[in-house]
Amino acid sequence: MQDETAYVVTIDGPGGSGKGSLAIRVARELNLHLLDSGAIYRLLALKGLQQGVDLDQQHEVVVLLNDFNIRFDAGDDLSIPYLDNRDVSTEIRREDAGDAASRVARHAEVRQGLLEIQRAFLKPPGLVADGRDMGTVVFPNARFKFFLYASIEIRAQRRYKQLINMGLSANIAHLQAEIAERDERDQKRSASPLKPAEDALIVDSSLLDQAQVTELVLSHIREAG
Ligand code: DC
């Protein structure tokens, strides 16, 4: 068994599978720190968009890491992401930021450059980390690994509700096409593609609500001790 400082729960899965809200609930319930790794890719993408760099060119994106000034402050409910000391919580949730994040995330040197930033989130008593490669690459020794899955139709509906609740506009058919495209890009890239770790428990959340998924994950963790 790992010592307490290495207590990590990883939750990987495609966009809209519900891993973000699951990670928040599990972290709260177990009193662990939280890493939303997708937010880090989104912040980098936002910086790239602001500076007008070509996100498909690895060398242009890597340069952004030299002056990547980000932090997360505790908010009432969720943590608030800052880029260059500016609250960008709404901007990074937009679909164009998600799409841009998926493009910067394809570059191996960018992923390498973000490893240390992500691992620095691991502090006692432990961490819940959500993303695409938490269990495979960033925290391969995590004590608990989950891979959350849901059908594209369900994920598009969830994303739609999320965006509308945030006061943003959205279109279901458009979202579904974007999700399919992003899945394909995340799964087919050669650098840390989206895939379950061999020792991950795969959870299909299509027919479960958030409370049910959370309960399933928490009972698995508690049973294993
Ligand atoms: O989880 P999310 O939608 O916020 O992630 C946005 C994009 O960032 C996603 O399409 C792929 C990329 N990403 C990644 O490649 N690896 C991670 N660990 C997290 C996100």
Side-chain angles (χ1 to χ4, degrees), residues 12-26:
D12 288 306
S17 57
K19 62 190 159 40
S21 39
L22 171 65
I24 292 168
R25 284 161 171 249
V26 172

Side-chain angles (χ1 to χ4, degrees), residues 3 11 23 68 76 85 112 115 120 170 185 195 197 207 219 223:
D3 70 22
I11 303 175
F68 189 38
D76 287 344
N85 295 316
Q112 185 63 34
L115 270 183
R185 200 186 293 147
K195 65 168 186 207
L207 301 175
S219 55
E223 273 163 32

Side-chain angles (χ1 to χ4, degrees), residues 19 37-38 42 102 105 111 132-134 182 186 189:
K19 62 190 159 40
S37 62
R42 285 170 184 261
S102 169
R111 304 196 71 86
R132 304 292 190 286
D133 60 343
M134 298 297 100
R182 195 163 343 144
D186 292 348
R189 67 177 178 228

Side-chain angles (χ1 to χ4, degrees), residues 134-178:
M134 298 297 100
T136 50
V137 177
V138 183
F139 300 108
N141 298 323
R143 196 183 308 171
F144 298 104
K145 298 183 183 179
F146 297 92
F147 189 89
L148 207 58
Y149 166 84
S151 70
I152 287 202
E153 292 77 14
I154 298 273
R155 288 191 277 140
Q157 280 171 26
R158 288 178 184 163
R159 194 66 107 189
Y160 178 82
K161 281 190 200 149
Q162 240 177 22
L163 293 170
I164 297 296
N165 285 341
M166 290 171 73
L168 300 170
S169 64
N171 169 295
I172 288 255
H174 191 208
L175 282 175
Q176 209 165 303
E178 272 182 356

